[in-house]
Structures are given as C-alpha cells and as structure tokens.
Amino acid sequence: MNRSSARLFIRITCYALIVLATFFALLIVYLSQLDLNDYRRSLEQTMSSALKQPVQIGHSSLTFNRGFALALKNLQIGDSRAPLADIPKVMATLKLTPLFKGQLILDQVQIDNPKIKIKLPFPERPAKGTSQRLFNTLGIRILNVHNASIEVLQVQSDKTDREFKFSHLNALLRGWNPGKTGELTVSGQLQKQGGRFLFETRLPSSR
C-alpha cells in the first residue's frame, strides 16, 4: 500500500468511526428519553396478573451488556413480608429494532442468586400455559438462572410437613414459545443428602 492509499484508508476509517460514534451517541440520548418507570409498572402488572401474586421491582435502568440491556434490581414476587421469590438482580438484553419504536422487548434474560420459597399445595395455582404465554408476551428467547436456592414445604394431611432444600441451582431454558418445545437443562444440589444432580429435558408446548 503506497502513502496516498494509506492516507485514504485512514481518512475513511476515521469518518466511519465518527459516524458510528455519532449513531451510538444519538441512540443513547434517545434511550434516555424512554420512561422506565412506566415500563417497570407495566412489567409488574403483567407478571402479577399472570402469576396471581403481587410483584414489586425496586429499580430499573438501561445499560450495555452484550448489547443494550435492561437491569432490574430487588425484584420480589409475593407478599413483601414473606416473598415467594426474592431476586437481587435480573439482566435482560433487549431486541434492537423495537427500541426505535420506543418498545422494550426482552431477548435473553439472566437471573442471579434468586431465593425461592414454595408451599405445597399452591393456594392458587396459575392456569395451564401461563408461564409459556408470559415468556411470549415479554419476548424471552433464552432464560438463564444462576446460583438459585429453593425451599419447598409440603403440607401433609396428617399435619406432618416435609421440607426440601435445593442450592447452587443453575438452569438454562431455550426456545420455549407457544407452539414450540423448549430445551431445559438444570443442575444443582440437594442439601440434606448433599448429592448433586443434572438433568436435561424438553418442555412441551402448552398448546
């Protein structure tokens, strides 16, 4: 490459970088105008209606994590005095095209360190297909759960309760949309026995 070609290449590269930087700057300014409080309230209502439980999200913000992402902190499901699920952090990458229309559609969701308490039988169980419809409504393509802990209390008719505790749970669910089968992988540890487990399965469509 001669000197004039090198100068032309450098000039074109600089222009391209300036255009790219300008585009991202404008996009960031545009995203800053989105009302996250409205979206947070809408998300709380959507989840609460589907799960038949109160849902509260402490804080929401836009960030960049392998793409533009929505960060949710201090998410609780159930009564705030004794929540069924306490989730410190949720990170969800966003689909880019809907952003230009002012819409926040989730794509990949990662849930870190959730603590879940389940009492069986359920006092009010969501209708069949609720979870899959919720996935579709929110646009979730991949769900990744990291380092979860679950306590299950089973109330028996003879008043003797059975308790199960699971820790270090990791789960990955892909492609579970209406009319489609999802792929689920779960690993973890059963605390009393101390044994670890791993299973893979396919979740059928609820339709």
Side-chain angles (χ1 to χ4, degrees):
M1 180 182 295
N2 57 39
R3 183 172 298 179
S4 60
S5 298
R7 287 177 179 174
L8 179 61
F9 175 76
I10 293 173
R11 187 176 300 172
I12 292 173
T13 301
C14 289
Y15 284 150
L17 290 175
I18 291 171
V19 170
L20 190 62
T22 302
F23 169 77
F24 276 104
L26 291 174
L27 183 58
I28 290 171
V29 170
Y30 172 75
L31 292 177
S32 68
Q33 306 303 313
L34 296 177
D35 193 336
L36 290 182
N37 287 327
D38 279 353
Y39 180 76
R40 189 182 74 242
R41 287 190 290 268
S42 175
L43 183 58
E44 288 174 340
Q45 292 172 1
T46 299
M47 294 180 64
S48 179
S49 176
L51 301 175
K52 300 187 182 299
Q53 294 288 340
V55 175
Q56 293 182 342
I57 299 173
H59 179 72
S60 59
S61 62
L62 286 174
T63 184
F64 194 86
N65 181 30
R66 291 174 296 179
F68 288 100
L70 177 68
L72 305 176
K73 293 184 178 180
N74 301 324
L75 189 153
Q76 288 188 337
I77 300 174
D79 192 324
S80 59
R81 294 168 296 181
L84 297 176
D86 193 346
I87 306 172
K89 181 181 177 183
V90 177
M91 185 70 69
T93 58
L94 301 171
K95 296 177 181 177
L96 189 58
T97 302
L99 281 177
F100 294 101
K101 303 176 183 178
Q103 300 174 343
L104 297 178
I105 305 297
L106 311 184
D107 185 30
Q108 299 184 42
V109 176
Q110 178 166 322
I111 300 175
D112 291 324
N113 306 309
K115 296 181 180 179
I116 302 170
K117 295 183 179 180
I118 300 173
K119 186 176 181 180
L120 300 177
F122 291 107
E124 187 176 8
R125 186 174 180 178
K128 181 181 178 181
T130 296
S131 298
Q132 196 171 33
R133 284 194 296 272
L134 183 60
F135 263 59
N136 187 56
T137 299
L138 299 179
I140 299 174
R141 182 172 58 90
I142 298 175
L143 175 65
N144 192 351
V145 180
H146 175 67
N147 196 33
S149 61
I150 299 179
E151 296 182 17
V152 180
L153 180 63
Q154 186 176 22
V155 180
Q156 306 286 339
S157 57
D158 58 0
K159 297 182 180 181
T160 59
D161 298 341
R162 299 178 64 189
E163 187 178 40
F164 304 91
K165 292 185 179 181
F166 303 88
S167 63
H168 305 295
L169 281 171
N170 298 291
L172 179 64
L173 177 57
R174 297 173 178 267
W176 197 43
N177 302 115
K180 296 183 179 179
T181 299
E183 298 178 1
L184 175 64
T185 302
V186 180
S187 64
Q189 181 175 344
L190 186 58
Q191 286 191 351
K192 284 187 177 180
Q193 284 75 13
R196 297 193 61 83
F197 62 87
L198 168 68
F199 71 86
E200 299 179 351
T201 188
R202 300 182 70 87
L203 292 183
S205 171
S206 59
R207 287 185 175 182

